[in-house]
């Protein structure tokens, strides 16, 4: 994969200018020099930002798994592609070579075909972080089935909603999953979800925990015997550049989750290019991203980016705190990890523990350390830089989103001087701009604006599954002609960007993107609840935590508020998943509303933060007296 041949910031600016002056030439070269195509493109890019229609490498033909696996076989078939580190450190780790990966993905692809899965069918994958998660995902891509990986921490109803939205024909799951000292009953959750999923014909079940599960006759099949019978000879499907590769759901500020659709060639080119350059990956390096493959970070930088580069990628099944807080550092030492990529929430949680955990290990293999998912605060940045990177390793604070497919703003190691809390500079090819409320571009420094991108890049999502209008409305209508990220940012005098956070009703909790609307919907379904509003408030480890203001129905009865709060959280857990539980629940008699009936969240946010200094303009409030009441009852 092409590596930046630049050695300092000045050269970066030159390269960046070139990439913007002639983006077609820039991407054409990267795409033609680094991949195997059945057929090259007629046009590099074709787009209409107003209609949110974007195509890259028009009419090219390709299969991403040929590029992830087959083309490496001649030279590095025996190289390790995947290192699997189990939840329990006493269980042996596994190494899967490119040859083995080829064989296992081919067999799995043949199993999918034998179960009637065809190109274009949607397959839901609900698995823990085990090798089968990577293998089944790649097998879908091999035959052109569209994978929809659902994070194995989501509840049955969240799984059902995702399956139904894209009408998946198959679900791949396991008997159970290990997470720290817990065993999670994944098959039971799938069974519960499938009561309401008419599109699903078959369920394939991986054995992981040996849990006793119910197998539904005619629908459920153990995967192992099917794989045993399958041939390891599979011809990859020829895909059009713009055929969907996968759907991945992300929360929005309103309504149901958005099924972001990523297509084949652009996503391939973009993840491969950014992986190589943002992590400065060198042959024989061991790369470890601690995310779950159920999120975009895992799709792009555990699976596709590394494998496209013929890298060795680590898949870790467990959690940073089990059996103790040294688990991450112990794994880095054990596998001699060279690039480590994690989230600020994990860094903060580990920084809170004794330094002994991290100092026990020299961590001298590390070369580059990365952060993603939310703004990294200064203290966490320094702790990471000092104690993990030993002040030798550039910290790459990478800004991007499910929608962007890959990293857009990040330092390039050994080229871009880092600056705590700044994601620094847009990568070549990325035309970032800040917009003010009047929809003008902000030229000044140190002014917060809405972060937009004004030219498409290959990895951008193409649509929301089944709802192109929503895609257009959400990302391309606020600032016409531009992609709007939903994030606020400011820029310093060098041009470095600092991401300040969401400007909409999405709250990032422990790096998880949570929309307020689905959580409020879940709370409101509790029979005792009349109405609710959720806001975020700063939290030392999670970044943000959730604060819920809840109005109960008038029944005249006395109720146990503590129990109610527990029930409400259980409701959220059942509808969405434990990640969306509220830290604080305050029962109120009303919510501050404007005359048009909109909740003034700004005020609730201030109260939750404990900042009563300035509520701003409250003259449009219908019920200003409620503000005082809520303030008094603050938790
Ligand atoms: C949102 C996207 C793709 C990364 C995993 C999360 C926030 C992400 C950073 C960063 C500040 C960040 C943004 C973004 N975010 N990276 N380096 N600095 N904020 O993907 O779930 O789609 O969430 O995460 O608010 O919009 P996601």
């Amino acid at each position: 994969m092409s590596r930046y041949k630049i050695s300092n910031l000045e050269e970066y600016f030159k390269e960046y200018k070139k990439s913007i002056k002639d983006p077609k030439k820039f991407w054409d070269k990267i795409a033609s020099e680094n991949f195997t195509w059945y057929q090259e493109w007629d046009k590099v890019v074709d787009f209409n930002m107003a209609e949110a229609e974007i195509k890259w490498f028009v009419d090219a033909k390709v299969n991403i798994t040929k590029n992830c696996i087959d083309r490496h076989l001649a030279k590095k078939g025996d190289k390790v592609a995947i290192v699997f580190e189990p939840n329990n450190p006493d269980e042996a780790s596994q190494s899967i070579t490119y040859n083995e990966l080829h064989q296992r993905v081919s067999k799995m692809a043949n199993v999918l075909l034998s179960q009637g899965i065809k190109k274009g069918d949607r397959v839901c994958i609900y698995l823990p972080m085990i090798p089968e998660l990577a293998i089944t995902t790649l097998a879908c891509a091999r035959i052109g089935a569209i994978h929809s990986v659902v994070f194995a921490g989501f509840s049955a109803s969240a799984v059902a909603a995702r399956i139904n939205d894209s009408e998946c024909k198959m679900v791949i799951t396991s008997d159970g999953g290990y997470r720290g000292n817990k065993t999670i009953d994944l098959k039971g959750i799938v069974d519960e979800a499938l009561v309401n999923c008419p599109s699903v014909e078959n369920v394939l079940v991986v054995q992981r925990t040996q849990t006793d599960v119910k197998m539904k006759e005619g629908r459920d099949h153990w995967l192992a015997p099917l794989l045993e019978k399958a041939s390891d000879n599979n011809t990859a499907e020829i895909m059009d550049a713009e055929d969907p590769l996968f759907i991945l759901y992300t929360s929005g500020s309103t309504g149901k989750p958005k099924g972001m659709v990523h297509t084949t060639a652009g996503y391939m080119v973009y993840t491969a290019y950014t992986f190589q350059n943002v992590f400065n990956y060198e042959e024989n390096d061991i790369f470890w991203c601690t995310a779950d493959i159920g999120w975009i970070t895992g799709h792009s930088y555990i699976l596709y980016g590394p494998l496209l580069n013929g890298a060795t990628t680590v898949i870790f099944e467990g959690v940073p705190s089990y059996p103790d807080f040294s688990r991450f550092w112990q794994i880095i030492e054990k596998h001699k990890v060279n690039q480590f990529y994690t989230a600020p929430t994990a860094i903060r949680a580990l920084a809170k523990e004794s330094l002994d955990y991290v100092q026990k290990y020299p961590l001298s293999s590390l070369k580059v350390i990365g952060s993603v998912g939310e703004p990294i605060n200064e203290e966490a940045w320094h702790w990471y830089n000092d104690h993990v990177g030993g002040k030798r390793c550039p910290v790459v604070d990478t800004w991007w989103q499910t929608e962007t497919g890959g990293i857009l703003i990040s330092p390039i190691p050994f080229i871009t001087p880092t600056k705590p809390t700044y994601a620094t500079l847009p990568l070549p090819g990325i035309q970032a701009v800040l917009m003010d409320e009047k929809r003008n571009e902000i030229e000044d420094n140190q002014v917060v604006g809405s972060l937009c991108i004004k030219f498409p890049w290959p990895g951008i999502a193409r649509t929301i599954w089944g709802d192109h209008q929503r895609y257009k409305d959400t990302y391309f209508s606020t600032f016409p002609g531009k992609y709007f990220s939903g994030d606020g940012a400011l820029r310093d005098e060098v041009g470095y960007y600092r991401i300040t956070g969401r400007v909409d009703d999405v709250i990032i909790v422990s790096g998880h993107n949570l929309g307020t609307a689905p959580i409020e919907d879940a709370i409101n379904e509790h029979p005792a609840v009349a109405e609710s509003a959720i806001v975020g408030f700063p939290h030392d480890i999670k970044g943000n935590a959730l604060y819920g203001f809840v109005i109960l129905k008038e029944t005249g009865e006395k109720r146990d508020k503590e129990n109610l709060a527990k029930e409400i959280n259980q409701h959220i857990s059942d509808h969405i998943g434990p990640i969306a539980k509220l830290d604080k629940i305050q029962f109120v008699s009303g919510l501050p509303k404007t005359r048009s009936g909109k909740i003034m969240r700004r005020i609730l946010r201030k109260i939750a933060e404990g900042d009563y200094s300035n509520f701003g303009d409250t003259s449009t409030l219908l019920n200003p007296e409620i503000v005082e009441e809520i303030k008094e009852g603050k938790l």
Side-chain angles (χ1 to χ4, degrees):
M1 181 73 219
S2 330
R3 181 192 295 266
Y4 291 134
K5 298 206 173 49
I6 43 184
S7 52
N8 58 45
L9 202 55
E10 206 176 307
E11 284 181 46
Y12 155 86
F13 282 118
K14 259 195 227 151
E15 173 86 2
Y16 181 76
K17 275 202 192 106
K18 266 199 290 181
S19 78
I20 282 191
K21 232 179 111 193
D22 197 347
K24 290 181 188 161
K25 190 169 155 198
F26 178 78
W27 291 112
D28 186 274
K29 187 165 167 1
I30 291 171
S32 62
E33 283 176 359
N34 296 288
F35 303 92
T36 306
W37 303 86
Y38 296 113
Q39 180 189 305
E40 290 212 353
W41 44 97
D42 299 329
K43 230 175 152 182
V44 180
V45 60
D46 204 355
F47 66 97
N48 174 344
M49 293 291 255
E51 289 306 316
E53 270 156 19
I54 298 164
K55 289 182 179 160
W56 280 91
F57 310 111
V58 183
D59 290 337
K61 305 283 180 233
V62 70
N63 185 289
I64 196 168
T65 70
K66 289 289 254 192
N67 282 280
C68 284
I69 309 171
D70 304 48
R71 76 182 160 126
H72 305 312
L73 298 181
K75 281 198 191 139
K76 40 185 171 184
D78 291 328
K79 177 176 174 174
V80 175
I82 293 174
V83 172
F84 170 60
E85 176 63 35
N87 176 61
N88 180 350
D90 297 333
E91 190 184 323
S93 53
Q94 295 170 27
S95 294
I96 302 170
T97 64
Y98 274 94
N99 277 330
E100 286 165 34
L101 185 64
H102 181 248
Q103 195 194 25
R104 291 178 72 175
V105 170
S106 300
K107 274 178 174 266
M108 187 64 217
N110 288 331
V111 167
L112 292 175
L113 291 171
S114 74
Q115 295 294 311
I117 299 297
K118 301 180 304 296
K119 175 176 177 176
D121 287 344
R122 276 78 61 205
V123 174
C124 171
I125 302 177
Y126 186 68
L127 281 173
M129 282 283 283
I130 54 177
E132 285 80 358
L133 173 50
I135 288 162
T136 53
T137 303
L138 292 166
C140 286
R142 190 151 185 103
I143 67 164
I146 302 170
H147 54 77
S148 168
V149 181
V150 175
F151 172 60
F154 276 116
S155 69
S157 62
V159 177
R162 285 158 178 75
I163 290 173
N164 288 334
D165 181 70
S166 49
E167 295 170 292
C168 294
K169 224 168 129 177
M170 172 183 272
V171 178
I172 304 176
T173 189
S174 65
D175 49 358
Y178 296 122
R179 257 181 94 74
N181 54 17
K182 283 189 232 143
T183 304
I184 313 212
D185 174 22
L186 297 179
K187 176 64 167 65
I189 296 172
V190 167
D191 288 342
E192 199 186 325
L194 292 191
V195 173
N196 300 311
C197 299
S199 61
V200 174
E201 293 169 6
N202 290 300
V203 178
L204 303 184
V205 188
V206 177
Q207 209 171 30
R208 173 60 184 142
T209 54
Q210 271 70 43
T211 309
D212 194 16
V213 298
K214 280 200 207 88
M215 296 293 277
K216 187 170 168 187
E217 185 77 39
R219 186 194 73 181
D220 302 350
H221 319 271
W222 290 106
L223 182 57
L226 295 174
L227 281 169
E228 220 160 274
K229 277 189 290 184
S231 146
D232 58 9
N233 188 353
N234 176 276
T235 314
E237 184 75 37
I238 298 176
M239 304 296 287
D240 186 84
E242 286 298 338
D243 278 336
L245 173 63
F246 64 85
I247 303 169
L248 187 59
Y249 287 87
T250 185
S251 323
S253 24
T254 53
K256 59 176 189 174
K258 297 175 285 194
M260 302 312 307
V261 178
H262 282 281
T263 60
T264 305
Y267 178 81
M268 174 182 82
V269 169
Y270 199 69
T271 51
Y273 160 79
T274 50
F275 173 76
Q276 163 68 75
N277 288 293
V278 171
F279 299 104
N280 194 43
Y281 184 83
E282 292 172 302
E283 189 61 49
N284 301 325
D285 281 351
I286 313 287
F287 178 85
W288 181 23
C289 164
T290 69
D292 193 289
I293 293 177
W295 308 113
I296 192 72
T297 310
H299 277 57
S300 301
Y301 300 109
I302 295 178
L303 221 49
Y304 288 113
L307 297 179
L308 285 164
N309 282 280
T312 301
T313 181
V314 177
I315 294 183
F316 173 46
E317 185 184 29
V319 294
S321 53
Y322 177 84
D324 65 40
F325 291 99
S326 66
R327 186 67 166 128
F328 272 7
W329 324 127
Q330 180 247 328
I331 293 173
I332 292 175
E333 208 49 45
K334 176 173 176 190
H335 297 293
K336 301 283 175 270
V337 170
N338 302 106
Q339 290 89 4
F340 178 66
Y341 191 29
T342 195
T345 185
I347 299 169
R348 286 189 297 262
L350 294 168
K352 220 182 63 167
E353 301 302 324
S354 159
L355 263 184
D356 294 347
Y357 287 119
V358 56
Q359 283 173 345
K360 231 178 21 195
Y361 300 96
L363 308 180
S364 53
S365 55
L366 288 176
K367 298 199 274 195
V368 175
I369 56 177
S371 167
V372 61
E374 61 191 303
I376 177 163
N377 51 304
E378 191 139 4
E379 213 184 328
W381 193 98
H382 283 294
W383 188 88
Y384 196 33
N385 183 49
D386 296 356
H387 301 295
V388 180
K391 298 189 181 151
R392 305 172 277 111
C393 306
V395 176
V396 289
D397 176 0
T398 63
W399 175 80
W400 59 297
Q401 312 177 286
T402 304
E403 295 85 337
T404 70
I407 297 162
L408 299 192
I409 302 185
S410 167
I412 300 165
F414 312 108
I415 294 171
T416 318
T418 56
K419 177 173 175 180
T421 75
Y422 281 76
T424 77
L425 296 166
L427 298 179
I430 302 304
Q431 304 194 23
V433 284
L434 295 178
M435 306 298 291
D436 68 17
E437 278 165 10
K438 296 197 181 101
R439 304 202 164 93
N440 296 318
E441 270 191 39
I442 297 174
E443 306 290 341
D444 294 346
N445 301 328
Q446 304 297 352
V447 182
V448 176
S450 296
L451 179 56
C452 293
I453 314 291
K454 63 178 178 186
F455 192 88
W457 63 98
I460 187 174
R462 302 297 195 262
T463 193
I464 290 175
W465 184 264
D467 199 349
H468 193 71
Q469 188 63 41
R470 187 175 179 200
Y471 179 67
K472 210 168 112 178
D473 293 346
T474 311
Y475 305 103
F476 296 88
S477 65
T478 318
F479 301 98
K482 298 181 177 65
Y483 168 81
F484 172 43
S485 66
D487 281 331
L490 53 79
R491 203 171 33 220
D492 74 3
E493 55 299 338
V494 182
Y496 278 18
Y497 285 87
R498 175 185 183 155
I499 315 301
T500 50
R502 301 290 309 180
V503 295
D504 56 13
D505 287 330
V506 170
I507 305 170
I508 314 248
V509 179
S510 300
H512 299 305
N513 197 327
L514 301 175
T516 50
I519 303 175
E520 286 164 6
D521 290 346
I523 299 174
N524 298 348
E525 275 186 31
H526 188 287
V529 172
E531 203 185 348
S532 63
I534 305 291
V535 295
F537 70 100
H539 184 280
D540 282 353
I541 291 172
K542 301 180 187 181
N544 295 295
L546 298 176
Y547 194 123
F549 298 91
V550 177
I551 307 177
L552 294 176
K553 283 182 186 151
E554 296 283 351
T555 58
E557 296 164 45
K558 249 195 125 30
R559 298 192 231 214
D560 180 344
K561 298 278 165 65
E562 217 170 288
N563 265 341
L564 265 179
K566 272 195 202 134
E567 281 174 32
I568 287 171
N569 261 335
Q570 189 56 45
H571 232 72
I572 296 173
S573 223
D574 294 345
H575 280 73
I576 300 164
I579 49 176
K581 280 193 194 170
L582 311 183
D583 266 43
K584 293 184 180 176
I585 299 178
Q586 179 181 348
F587 295 99
V588 294
S589 69
L591 293 165
K593 286 195 180 168
T594 62
R595 279 164 215 288
S596 58
K598 267 184 98 172
I599 298 170
M600 223 185 244
R601 286 172 194 277
R602 174 165 58 78
I603 294 180
L604 295 177
R605 231 175 270 137
K606 287 244 171 194
I607 295 177
E609 286 167 12
D611 169 9
Y612 306 145
S613 56
N614 179 13
F615 286 134
D617 180 12
T618 52
S619 61
T620 55
L621 275 187
L622 194 63
N623 51 347
E625 69 290 345
I626 199 73
V627 177
E628 211 44 47
E629 181 205 303
I630 298 178
K631 242 168 74 180
E632 266 160 34
K634 188 192 173 254
L635 300 175

